Amino acid sequence: MSKTGVFIETTDQEIKQSVFGVISAAAAGGGEVTGFLLDGRADKYKDQLAACGVTELVALEAKDIDFSKSPQATGEALAKGATDFGISALLGVSSPTGNDVLARAAMALKAPLALDCMDVDFTANTVKKSHFSGKAVATLEMTGALFVCGIRPNSFEAVESPVTIKITPHTVEVENSDAIIVTEVQAADSSRKDLTEATVIISGGRPMASSDNFKILDECARKLDAVVGASRAAVDAGYAPHSMQVGQTGKIVSPKLYIGCGLSGSVQHFAGMKTSKVIVAINTDKDAPIFTKSDYGIIGDLFEVVPALTKELEKQG
Amino acid sequence: MTLYLALKSAIMAILLAGAFYLFKTKVQRLFLIMQSVDGPGPGEPDRIKERMGVLFRDVLGQSNVRRKKMAGWAHTLIFFGFLAVQPHSLELMIRGVIPGFSVGHLLPGLYNFYLFTADILGFLVLAGFAYAAHRRFVTKPAYLTMGRDANLIILFTSVIIITFHLINACQVVSPYAAQGYDYSGVFPVSGIIVSIFGMAHLSADTQVFLFETFYFIHMLTILGFLIYIPGSKHLHLLAAAPNVFLKPLEREKAVQKTDIEDEDAESFGLGKINELNWYNVLNLYACTECGRCQEQCPADHTGKPLSPKAIVHDLKTDLFKWSDNILKGNKEEIDPIVGEGTEITPDIIWSCTTCRACEDICPVNIQHLDFILEARKYQVLMEAEFPVEMQDTFTNLENQGNPWGFSADTRGNWAKETGIPTMAENPHPDILWFVGSASSFDDRAVKISRALAELLKIAGVNVAILGEQEWGVGDTARRAGNEYLAQMMIMQNVEVLNECRPKRILTACPHTYNMLKNEYPEFGADFPVVHHSQYLLELVRQNRLILDERSLGTITFHDSCYLGRWNGIFDEPRELIAQMNRGQAPIEMKRTKDKGFCCGAGGARMFMEETLGNYINVDRAKEITATGADMVASACPYCITMLQDGLKECGSEIKVHDLAEIMHRKIKETH
Ligand SMILES: Cc1cc2nc3c(=O)[nH]c(=O)nc-3n(C[C@H](O)[C@H](O)[C@H](O)COP(=O)(O)OP(=O)(O)OC[C@H]3O[C@@H](n4cnc5c(N)ncnc54)[C@H](O)[C@@H]3O)c2cc1C
Ligand code: SF4
Ligand code: SF4
């Protein structure tokens, strides 16, 4: 049976959410799924990974090397792991880190590489990529015994498919190159995550009235595992940084759930989030245009509604 | 003495020949550059009679220059004074070579009259200079270049005028200088110099000595000036008149149509300086560096790196830098205009709102947008370089025909409950309403569309829209330099329009109006177009919309650049406001009509983030609040959004309304 490898990308001791979708894609392909982990916390993650179909978790190690500081070493270690475990396709998320590391692995393996793929077919050895802003789809045939492929985030739903998992520590030898060393990682804005990858977004508009008030959105976001966004009016007033701006001249997002708090529903804002699956609006004005565009509307003061929502979520755990 | 005169003749002959030869070579080179650039220029000028009129009014009459009052009058004084002393200087030149030469003996009456006038006008030049010097050394407005060049010119010309008077004074007292002509009483100003300095009492020799000294200073300065002109900012003395003569006679203009199908074209837009056309080059020569364009520019005013004056200056510098390559045909080596380490950066060309305040104010009719928009075209079509936000905008325009990416088949949805039929439902309307993207998809603008729809119904207008057959008009793509996409969009509409051949097109969007009226004809769709501010006024005048006498409070009006400066529609909206508001004309803001201040949305800026300097719309909003008006009216969906955002940002409660909304509310209250 063929074996598919998945690069288990982690940040801040958590598996990146979109990795689970990639695992499901690999599992659906029929082969055995081998996870490659580089942060050494195999025990912590093993249940989560088993739940979606990883049969073997390879915890890669290398002497004197901190993988988090060296993308080159990470790529090479992945390559070694793939060879040592007889992998026929190595997958990962096409995130900035994923793209970096997978490219280095492909280089070390001298294997073909395709990034930002929407689909993979393990029997035909083909991948699908979108071109010309979604107007055309290219099917690429991946030749050779092994190919490397990055999957566009959120292309696949994570599905439960529990299996028993085996943890295999595996030490590889990689060169301790100092060509690139990560000395420091600075998040764009401390606690706030990337909007474009978020599955749930809760945004605040002009009536937030201060950056302090954004805390009530932060609290609610924690319960919902959501990322906080803002309108340009809130950004201009200095309540939130530009990196949080959703809209025509900010981020274009497409989460599963978008909660807009105190947003009038200007076309400039809407243009950036109109592809959200479900839109919920909280606004004091029943005639606010946002209500004509949302699936659910709450007429009310966001300073009452949002804390009440947080409280309810807390109750439910 | 005879020996001296012979010597003087020889020296003057050599000096004159040398100076004129140098002058000729320099001017010839400027001509050659104009002939050697590659861009396809405009053809032979048409409507010569009208152009002569322009020459009289704008150049001789100095009417354009005087749109800036004080500086304009100062320039007028300098201009006429300087012209006036020239014949006198010419006579002196000839006299230097042929000592006996004299016009005075032939036509004494005319000669005396001329000298009398020239003497006064010459003196007034100094008054003009006093004002210029005051501006340069005391008030120092930011838009003026305080270079050595300008100061040198003031010095040159002052010396010429002062020596002119001193020579005249000598001619009054010295028989040697007068050469047998009686100059007494001819010079009103120079005569005063004679008495102040008691020149009549000087010895004859001293008088001769003074005359010759002044004479040579005068001549050398004039000849020096002559050689200096072709390389300096005062090249405008030569190029301004032809440039004004060749100016576009119409206010309305279109973005230059590029033949994107041309398979032999190596490049599109303006990438390198040799791609200018001869008319562009003449434009650059003509700039006086007066800075008026910069003073009006909303980008410069709000701290962005763009100054239209600097663009002209930098292009001229670039042109002269590469002139050898251009003349020798060795053009590969020429560096791009926008590139690493160049004066003109991407930030500069993308800061422009295409408001045309610069073109409108320029006393010598320089067409700044011909440069800026062509440079954008090159960036987009050849380098694929443009602000990141435009990527999605372009994609949306291409796929869905609107900048936000709403599904194209929902374009007509806003009209569903208004009862306005589509062309399919009403194939023979009197008015085809071309709605435009903002007015179809932006909720704020849709409110205006609905108000207008109801007004049309009340007035009983036989109207139809295109519905989903309509496509984005192409303004955003074209002004963002994506000529390829713009032409695709334009052609799509042209086909539809030619199929239904409307009697008259109505639109409530100035950008749409401008495209349909000024840019579509070149693509084969030429139909009468009317903007709703004009059309509503028409309906009121025909008594098809009846207005009552109640007051709406005080209203100020914001001119949309594409209605005003691009199309000269200044009066109709104001008249309409007066009609709606008991004859009360709107309160004018400080910057209004042809000098109005842009809202910041034009030139596709509506779809780019404003990261440099201050917000243009906030600047304008402050001006609105300063009027103390109860309401600000406008007639453009982009302006409305910009002003509304700006006013909210200032914490102002002033309401922003479109003319159609104001009228709709008023009429509904009556009914
Ligand atoms: C060039 C340009 C680009 C732009 N790009 C973007 C962009 O990328 N993203 C963007 O968002 N905007 C953008 N805008 C701005 C856009 O035009 C709007 O001004 C902006 O989106 C409005 O933000 P808002 O909804 O937060 O504020 P407002 O329009 O002021 O709306 C506030 C809403 O909150 C409601 N409200 C008030 N108090 C409460 C309360 N206590 N509880 C609940 N509701 C309350 C009000 O009824 C109102 O509907 C852009 C504008 C321009 C000109
Ligand atoms: S068109 Fe307007 S923004 Fe552009 S350079 Fe001219 S004045 Fe400035
Ligand atoms: S371009 Fe025109 S307005 Fe601007 S500085 Fe030159 S002459 Fe003056």
Side-chain angles (χ1 to χ4, degrees), chain B residues 143 236 283-284 286-294 308-310 312-313 358-359 361-368:
Chain B
Y143 53 82
H236 90 266
N283 266 223
L284 298 182
C287 177
T288 70
E289 296 185 15
C290 67
R292 295 177 188 202
C293 53
Q294 177 175 329
K309 170 182 148 184
V312 170
H313 177 267
C358 48
E359 296 189 349
I361 200 73
C362 179
V364 295
N365 303 103
I366 288 170
Q367 305 290 307
H368 306 76

Side-chain angles (χ1 to χ4, degrees), chain A residues 132-133 135 206 232-233 236-237 242 245 248-250 252 264-265 267-268 270-271 274 289-290 292-293, chain B residues 389 391-393 395-396 398-399 404-406 441-443 606-610 615 617 641 645 648-649:
Chain A
F132 306 109
S133 14
K135 267 181 294 182
R206 194 190 308 272
R232 189 187 196 230
D236 282 348
H242 183 75
Q245 180 176 320
Q248 172 186 301
T249 55
I252 310 283
S264 58
V267 71
Q268 290 78 15
F270 189 59
K274 63 181 185 310
I290 185 102
T292 63
K293 306 177 169 94
Chain B
E389 306 93 288
Q391 180 65 61
D392 281 309
T393 311
T395 309
N396 292 335
E398 190 178 346
N399 293 345
W404 302 284
F406 293 106
F441 291 109
D442 175 355
D443 281 334
M606 186 75 213
F607 303 95
M608 301 175 216
E609 197 48 87
E610 200 172 338
Y615 279 177
N617 62 341
T641 300
D645 280 13
K648 273 195 196 171
E649 183 98 8

Side-chain angles (χ1 to χ4, degrees), chain B residues 178-246:
Chain B
Q179 290 198 359
Y181 192 78
D182 182 10
Y183 284 99
S184 51
V186 175
F187 300 118
V189 179
S190 310
I192 297 172
I193 299 179
V194 173
S195 28
I196 291 179
F197 294 105
M199 285 174 73
H201 308 300
L202 300 172
S203 70
D205 281 351
T206 316
Q207 289 171 348
V208 171
F209 173 75
L210 284 178
F211 174 74
E212 288 299 329
T213 313
F214 296 146
Y215 179 86
F216 272 102
I217 297 178
H218 189 69
M219 283 304 150
L220 287 174
T221 318
I222 288 186
L223 295 180
F225 192 47
L226 191 69
I227 303 171
Y228 190 71
I229 290 174
S232 75
K233 86 162 206 171
H234 279 250
L235 178 49
H236 90 266
L237 292 179
L238 303 173
N243 203 57
V244 170
F245 181 77
L246 292 167

